[in-house]
Amino acid sequence: MGLLDNLKAKLAPAKDKVSDLAHQHGDKVHHGIDKAAKVVDEKTKGKYSGKIHTGTDKAKGAMDRIAHKEGPGAGGGDTFTPPKSPPPAS
């Protein structure tokens, strides 16, 4: 077993715990994201509304993925999946 496999095995329980917490408190997190976005939008007087809206949508999407509310691959390709093996040497 390689170093990364050992690390993944040790972090699996933490990942499950974070997923459970995100699932249980997702509505509170979404509310907090909306509240923060509203405050920032008011402070910037609407100058960055589009960017704030985009950021909140991405944050909510990430929360949903963590909470496993969406199926795999439903995020639109925002995540990076590293290759399983290194590229061949030239």
Side-chain angles (χ1 to χ4, degrees):
M1 215 181 216
L3 176 66
L4 289 178
D5 291 332
N6 288 336
L7 187 60
K8 284 181 185 178
K10 290 181 181 183
L11 290 177
K15 181 181 175 186
D16 293 339
K17 180 70 174 176
V18 168
S19 178
D20 290 343
L21 288 172
H23 186 69
Q24 290 173 2
H25 302 289
D27 56 335
K28 292 178 185 176
V29 174
H30 281 259
H31 178 70
I33 291 170
D34 287 335
K35 189 173 180 179
K38 182 179 177 187
V39 169
V40 172
D41 198 30
E42 289 173 356
K43 293 287 183 180
T44 59
K45 298 178 182 160
K47 185 176 181 181
Y48 302 103
S49 291
K51 293 182 186 284
I52 292 168
H53 181 71
T54 300
T56 52
D57 287 346
K58 288 184 178 184
K60 288 178 183 180
M63 250 319 277
D64 290 343
R65 283 192 306 274
I66 290 171
H68 298 291
K69 291 181 180 177
E70 294 182 5
D78 288 334
T79 59
F80 172 73
T81 305
K84 296 203 185 266
S85 62
S90 49

